[in-house]
Amino acid sequence: MGGQRSSRRWVYVALGAAVMGAAGTYQFVWSSLSAAVGARIPASQTALGTVFTLFVVTQTLVQLPAGSIRDRYGPRKLLAVSGILMFAGYVGLAVAPILPVAFASYAIGGLGAGIAYTVAINTPVKWFDEYRGLATGIVSMAYGGLSFVLIPLVRGAIDAAFTRTLLVMAVAVGVVGLLAAGVLRDPRRETGESTSSASTEQRPDSSSDPDSDTRADTDDAPATSTEAVGWRTAARTWQFWVFYGVMVVVNGVGLMLIGQSVGFTTGLGLSPATATTVASVIALADGGGILVLGGLSDRFGGERTAGTSLVLCGFSLAAAVASGVRGYGTLFVVFVGAAAFFRSPVFAIFPSLVGHYYGEARSSENYAAIYTAKVPGGVFGGTVTGAMIALLGWSTAFYIGAVLVVAAGLGAFALRPVQGPND
């Protein structure tokens, strides 16, 4: 029985990774779609950027209500809705005759992607105690990993068959969402489970919950926390705001690095070929860091691994600037790759820590609240970064980013489990 249950939870991880990869196409494939969208619907670069901004906002803000619903009622209905919304988003973009339809379509797809993300990223938290970092790393890596495989295919097909390519993508992401909705379950909560006095909401009886699965074998997965609290209570702890601040910096500097990688490289006087290499290296290193260091966090601890990783990210980014200024193209590529590698693991580590600190039973809700840091992070990575580059130059702007990441790493070192609601 234990072996069957152990195998089942890895199947759930695989399904979570598939859903995560489907959601990630909206973020990572957009760079390959935007020019074709602009050619079909006359639109400025600012308007096309707004399409992506609407996706980021809807994808981020939907996660808090979606996480709360998932914690109470399970993942199945949410995954079905996310599959339908992601399908509708690509269909709408495929046939959009005017720019407002493109805005609405990508925002709808963002809603589906956000729901899929919060369900997928918290699935390992629900099912794992040991190997939780590794399992979360596998799911997180798929967010960009699947798109890395798809981008060359999409770029080769989008110009010749725009509508057909997007309709194929629509069907693919929709099927993934509906398939996961039919299979994925959350572990059944023990009857008689107590809850924290800080959280008085009534939960449905899991014995009749079709979205839950029994989890009596303690060697396979942890018992659900009896001290789970919601995000309002979590936000009264200093740890919540450390999580939030670190995520603002990680998202901001990460989007700064990803979105400005080509301009950064050429702005330092390096060749266009080096810029192309850097863009590919960032995508590979980002996924690799999530998997490798997410797994290592199981052994060395999440706080220590996240802190060390972010400090190394900051030093790597500073070394990349120093190398680029001196014209050392190869070293520049290596250090940029290292910065991407060491930036990404928090996306595998923090979901686990949030579940550990505030209870697995409401982990989706609490992590979703912290994930809203992507909104101010996106503002920093876009608008603020552009202003810094214009005022201070490429080198100074990225040195500032390096300092901020080191500070975020020191903040992660300070994290420790919550001892009480006001600790």
Side-chain angles (χ1 to χ4, degrees):
M1 181 70 174
Q4 291 177 346
R5 199 169 303 283
S6 180
S7 298
R8 182 187 304 165
R9 62 182 183 164
W10 287 107
V11 172
Y12 294 158
V13 166
L15 284 170
V19 170
M20 183 69 88
T25 61
Y26 272 91
Q27 177 165 317
F28 289 95
V29 178
W30 171 249
S31 62
S32 299
L33 298 177
S34 60
V37 172
R40 287 172 58 87
I41 306 171
S44 66
Q45 285 299 316
T46 300
L48 292 173
T50 301
V51 175
F52 187 73
T53 298
L54 288 171
F55 156 77
V56 171
V57 171
T58 56
Q59 185 245 6
T60 302
L61 296 184
V62 76
Q63 291 192 39
L64 181 55
S68 180
I69 292 169
R70 186 262 176 87
D71 287 335
R72 288 161 175 77
Y73 303 108
R76 295 176 65 189
K77 294 180 178 65
L78 280 172
L79 285 172
V81 170
S82 74
I84 293 169
L85 290 173
M86 288 192 291
F87 170 83
Y90 277 137
V91 169
L93 190 64
V95 300
I98 55 176
L99 193 57
V101 176
F103 286 156
S105 298
Y106 227 63
I108 289 169
L111 291 173
I115 294 170
Y117 185 99
T118 199
V119 170
I121 197 65
N122 285 285
T123 293
V125 178
K126 303 291 187 182
W127 280 100
F128 285 79
D129 188 3
E130 78 287 11
Y131 307 122
R132 184 183 285 179
L134 174 62
T136 308
I138 291 171
V139 174
S140 300
M141 183 180 67
Y143 188 64
L146 179 61
S147 294
F148 178 77
V149 175
L150 290 179
I151 285 171
L153 301 176
V154 172
R155 290 178 69 91
I158 197 71
D159 291 332
F162 178 87
T163 300
R164 184 174 65 187
T165 301
L166 284 181
L167 291 178
V168 169
M169 291 180 64
V171 171
V173 298
V175 167
V176 168
L178 293 176
L179 176 63
V183 178
L184 192 62
R185 303 286 189 277
D186 278 349
R188 180 176 297 169
R189 293 183 287 273
E190 299 283 346
T191 57
E193 175 187 332
S194 63
T195 58
S196 170
S197 59
S199 177
T200 59
E201 296 181 61
Q202 296 297 315
R203 294 184 176 87
D205 182 2
S206 61
S207 62
S208 59
D209 184 359
D211 280 17
S212 67
D213 196 358
T214 186
R215 188 173 66 174
D217 299 87
T218 57
D219 60 336
D220 288 325
T224 304
S225 171
T226 60
E227 297 295 332
V229 298
W231 72 269
R232 292 178 181 83
T233 300
R236 298 191 191 111
T237 67
W238 64 265
Q239 289 93 335
F240 179 94
W241 295 105
V242 173
F243 280 127
Y244 198 90
V246 171
M247 287 292 280
V248 170
V249 172
V250 168
N251 279 292
V253 176
L255 292 172
M256 176 186 190
L257 184 61
I258 294 168
Q260 300 288 346
S261 62
V262 173
F264 179 34
T265 306
T266 57
L268 294 179
L270 300 173
S271 68
T274 302
T276 301
T277 302
V278 163
S280 298
V281 166
I282 287 174
L284 286 173
D286 193 82
I290 289 173
L291 181 61
V292 174
L293 294 182
L296 287 177
S297 70
D298 292 323
R299 179 175 180 181
F300 296 106
E303 300 89 347
R304 183 184 303 173
T305 305
T308 302
S309 179
L310 290 176
V311 169
L312 290 174
C313 171
F315 282 115
S316 298
L317 185 55
V321 177
S323 300
V325 167
R326 291 164 175 77
Y328 301 141
T330 301
L331 279 178
F332 176 78
V333 171
V334 169
F335 283 123
V336 168
F341 181 89
F342 289 121
R343 180 198 76 96
S344 59
V346 294
F347 295 105
I349 295 169
F350 274 15
S352 299
L353 289 181
V354 170
H356 176 57
Y357 285 16
Y358 303 113
E360 287 87 355
R362 302 183 72 173
S363 59
S364 299
E365 171 188 331
N366 290 324
Y367 183 68
I370 291 168
Y371 194 82
T372 61
K374 187 172 183 178
V375 173
V379 172
F380 177 86
T383 304
V384 175
T385 294
M388 286 197 304
I389 292 169
L391 290 173
L392 305 173
W394 291 100
S395 298
T396 303
F398 276 81
Y399 275 133
I400 290 173
V403 171
L404 289 173
V405 174
V406 170
L410 296 177
F413 275 121
L415 286 167
R416 67 174 187 269
V418 178
Q419 301 300 318
N422 298 308
D423 179 40

